[in-house]
Amino acid sequence: MSSVPVLVAPRRTPIGNAGHGFADLTTTDLAAPVLREVLDSLRGSGLDAEVDDVVLGNCLGPGGDPARVAALRAGLGVEVPGVTVDRQCGSGLDAVMQAALRVRSGADELILAGGVESASTAPWRFWPPVSGADPVRYTRAPFAPHGFPDPDMGVAADDLARVRGISRERQDAYAARSHTLAAAADFSPEIVPIGDIAKDQRIRAGLTEARLARLRPSFGAGGTATAGNSCGISDGAAVLAVTTETLAAGLPALRVLGSAVAGSDPALPGLGPVPAIRKLLKRTGHDVADLGIVEITEAFASVVLAVSDELGLDESVICPQGGAIAMGHPWGASGAILLVRLASQMLREDGPALGLAACAIGGGQGIAVLVERVS
């Protein structure tokens, strides 16, 4: 028997700059406190159903199923299993999507889902030696096989800006907006402090267009992506409870209306959200004009602007409190952070009724989830 899935108890860690505040903390150290806080929130609200599973997205962790390890560390009990999802930058959103589909199917009633990334403690990886040569370290696995384009994400962002005619000035203007909005926002209600860190570390006030214009291109002399209009490499975790509308009756919740994934050109991975969002809106019978808020991972300003241009989005509804450009991008957690951000804004008394979260993914993929506020 199918059930309507809802998202409740959205929580996240502060987002830390890689190598700084959470430099010595593993994926377990980051995810376990958030899992515990989400479960305690549920129990405190009277939702006492057993946890069927923990599903966490992660890209660069040590292996060994970080979701299960974090669940054990969180004290959820040996009877609570865990599974780890890798869809690169879309991993955290995919984890919640999978949990929602399982709840919708009637197979499960309560899943804790989200994502975690510790860029600071990610293990170094090496290709094995060939013909007596030394092992070769690699910083990322291939996003596409030989014969397909496989650009690094920064290079691809520059290429996207050139192909779509998105100027450096426009990117800096969007980035200045993100920095300004995030600096003015209060994220404390959604944050689970880790040690003595209770705020996102990257957020800075006063990053104007004029100041951003002085920064040099980060990925080549002719490029337009800079440290100011791109995200930072980050650490963090985010978790939501995915359960049935019946079990969550009376709790502040977002109803999951649908989700979609799609493939796109690996040469321009930043356009991946476009086919995913189109597929999702077609499935659910909605239009871009219906969306009161859109949270897209701000990996690069050029990516958000290209997606907005292609879909005809109202830029004022995109990341209204800033995004990853200002806050940071802990890869495997970022998709779940988008949903936490949606919940914080949509569940206000005057919050928008319909929201969408979407991620661009290396190798040419996109993922999107549509939610509505439960009255």
Side-chain angles (χ1 to χ4, degrees), residues 16-60:
N17 295 328
H20 292 275
F22 300 147
D24 299 323
L25 301 187
T26 66
T27 56
T28 304
D29 298 326
L30 294 171
V34 190
L35 288 168
R36 186 71 250 171
E37 175 66 23
V38 170
L39 186 60
D40 287 348
S41 175
L42 295 177
R43 299 300 186 243
S45 65
L47 202 165
D48 293 324
E50 294 183 1
V51 177
D52 291 304
D53 204 356
V54 172
V55 186
L56 296 181
N58 179 253
C59 296
L60 292 179

Side-chain angles (χ1 to χ4, degrees), residues 2 57 60 83 123 193 211 215 308 311 315 323 326 359 365:
S2 63
L60 292 179
V83 63
R211 292 184 66 184
L215 298 176
S308 177
L311 293 172
E315 287 183 23
C359 306
Q365 295 188 82

Side-chain angles (χ1 to χ4, degrees), residues 205-234:
L207 287 176
T208 62
E209 291 180 54
R211 292 184 66 184
L212 293 171
R214 295 198 291 266
L215 298 176
R216 295 179 179 179
S218 296
F219 306 102
T224 52
T226 71
N229 62 33
S230 308
C231 66
I233 298 174
S234 308

Side-chain angles (χ1 to χ4, degrees), residues 114-202:
V116 60
E117 200 71 69
S118 172
S120 295
T121 65
W124 288 9
R125 303 173 188 234
F126 295 83
W127 296 116
V130 177
S131 301
D134 291 335
V136 177
R137 184 188 173 199
Y138 65 95
T139 56
R140 71 162 175 87
F143 292 144
H146 181 71
F148 286 81
D150 188 19
D152 285 338
M153 295 300 279
V155 173
D158 280 342
D159 291 342
L160 180 60
R162 280 191 289 269
V163 169
R164 293 304 172 106
I166 300 171
S167 68
R168 165 72 184 271
E169 292 74 19
R170 190 177 171 207
Q171 292 173 62
D172 284 347
Y174 181 86
R177 170 185 179 267
S178 184
H179 288 293
T180 300
L181 291 170
D186 177 14
F187 301 117
S188 57
E190 68 196 39
I191 287 179
V192 178
I194 303 295
D196 59 357
I197 298 176
K199 294 183 179 180
D200 300 314
Q201 292 191 299
R202 178 176 166 85

Side-chain angles (χ1 to χ4, degrees), residues 60-336:
L60 292 179
D65 194 356
R68 166 64 171 172
V69 178
L72 289 171
R73 172 71 68 81
L76 271 58
V78 295
E79 69 279 3
V80 176
V83 63
T84 304
V85 175
D86 178 3
R87 202 188 285 271
Q88 291 299 299
C89 294
S91 299
L93 198 54
D94 199 290
V96 179
M97 178 186 74
Q98 291 192 31
L101 290 170
R102 287 166 60 178
V103 169
R104 188 182 299 279
S105 75
D108 293 306
E109 287 190 325
L110 175 61
I111 298 176
L112 306 187
V116 60
E117 200 71 69
S118 172
S120 295
T121 65
W124 288 9
R125 303 173 188 234
F126 295 83
W127 296 116
V130 177
S131 301
D134 291 335
V136 177
R137 184 188 173 199
Y138 65 95
T139 56
R140 71 162 175 87
F143 292 144
H146 181 71
F148 286 81
D150 188 19
D152 285 338
M153 295 300 279
V155 173
D158 280 342
D159 291 342
L160 180 60
R162 280 191 289 269
V163 169
R164 293 304 172 106
I166 300 171
S167 68
R168 165 72 184 271
E169 292 74 19
R170 190 177 171 207
Q171 292 173 62
D172 284 347
Y174 181 86
R177 170 185 179 267
S178 184
H179 288 293
T180 300
L181 291 170
D186 177 14
F187 301 117
S188 57
E190 68 196 39
I191 287 179
V192 178
I194 303 295
D196 59 357
I197 298 176
K199 294 183 179 180
D200 300 314
Q201 292 191 299
R202 178 176 166 85
I203 296 175
R204 293 172 57 192
L207 287 176
T208 62
E209 291 180 54
R211 292 184 66 184
L212 293 171
R214 295 198 291 266
L215 298 176
R216 295 179 179 179
S218 296
F219 306 102
T224 52
T226 71
N229 62 33
S230 308
C231 66
I233 298 174
S234 308
D235 306 325
V239 176
L240 307 92
V242 187
T243 187
T244 69
E245 193 164 3
T246 301
L247 282 176
L251 300 180
L254 297 179
R255 184 181 295 116
V256 180
L257 297 183
S259 58
V261 292
S264 63
D265 184 356
L268 298 172
L271 288 176
V274 172
I277 292 172
R278 283 178 171 156
K279 183 188 292 188
L280 173 57
L281 293 177
K282 183 178 180 181
R283 283 177 176 174
T284 56
H286 285 281
D287 186 81
V288 291
D290 300 331
L291 301 172
I293 180 171
V294 176
E295 288 284 338
I296 299 178
T297 303
E298 291 179 349
F300 303 92
S302 61
V303 167
V304 180
L305 293 170
V307 172
S308 177
D309 290 349
E310 185 72 17
L311 293 172
L313 293 173
D314 178 352
E315 287 183 23
S316 69
V317 306
I318 300 174
C319 300
Q321 293 184 327
I325 288 172
M327 301 163 70
H329 179 15
W331 303 302
S334 288

